Amino acid sequence: MNLIEERVVMARAGTNPFVISRLSSGWLVIGDVQPLPGYCLLLADPVVPSLNALDTNQRTEFLCDMALVGDALLAVTGCDRVNYEIWGNTEPALHAHIMPRYASEPDGKRQRPACMGYSWSEAPKSSGDEFKNFKDKLRAYLQQQYQPI
């Protein structure tokens, strides 16, 4: 079982501390670390190997949920834009990295994908009370705007 599968099993059981909300296509979680404030992931549930393993309706649902999370991040973080990445090279299960981007980022980092401009090993961990407030705000925004399940 890979990390994404483990995290989905934990989310279903109510034991994943990174869960923000259940959406129609999966689980919105805060990233384990925060290379940029507000970094989240959308984990598909049911777990599938890639976007191409979904039927047309499921693909639409997953991609719409990604965009809805982007709307929420724009509102909650004040970021300037949102980057969306689906790779699955290391963890071969569908999940999207949803990364707020800020005008205040240094030149040379702002123009690059976050995974190339920032150190994940040096990024703050997403545990602790300072991230509970962010998760609560994002959850409240999603519940108010989109009625996640």
Side-chain angles (χ1 to χ4, degrees):
M1 183 178 299
N2 67 45
L3 180 61
I4 302 303
E5 293 168 316
E6 289 174 7
R7 296 293 175 92
V8 169
V9 168
M10 291 171 62
R12 290 176 187 158
T15 59
N16 184 333
F18 299 102
V19 167
I20 296 169
S21 185
R22 174 70 161 108
L23 300 176
S24 58
S25 69
W27 298 93
L28 176 62
V29 298
I30 190 169
D32 291 15
V33 296
Q34 293 292 292
L36 288 163
Y39 166 55
C40 296
L41 296 96
L42 178 59
L43 312 179
D45 188 1
V47 176
V48 295
S50 72
L51 189 64
N52 303 96
L54 300 175
D55 67 31
T56 301
N57 290 336
Q58 293 169 317
R59 289 177 188 185
T60 300
E61 195 170 57
F62 187 83
L63 295 171
C64 283
D65 280 351
M66 277 179 35
L68 296 177
V69 171
D71 291 342
L73 288 170
L74 286 163
V76 169
T77 67
C79 64
D80 292 327
R81 65 176 295 115
V82 178
N83 289 169
Y84 306 89
E85 299 177 10
I86 300 175
W87 291 9
N89 298 332
T90 304
E91 299 295 339
L94 178 59
H95 62 287
H97 300 264
I98 308 171
M99 183 70 71
R101 301 305 299 259
Y102 301 90
S104 60
E105 293 177 56
D107 284 339
K109 291 188 176 193
R110 187 177 59 248
Q111 297 85 354
R112 302 183 74 181
C115 64
M116 297 172 70
Y118 293 90
S119 169
W120 259 237
S121 62
E122 295 174 14
K125 303 279 187 235
S126 297
S127 57
D129 291 338
E130 65 271 22
F131 295 103
K132 182 184 181 312
N133 187 38
F134 165 74
K135 288 168 39 177
D136 290 345
K137 285 181 179 179
L138 203 58
R139 184 180 305 113
Y141 182 90
L142 289 167
Q143 287 172 344
Q144 180 182 33
Q145 299 295 319
Y146 305 109
Q147 302 298 315
I149 60 173

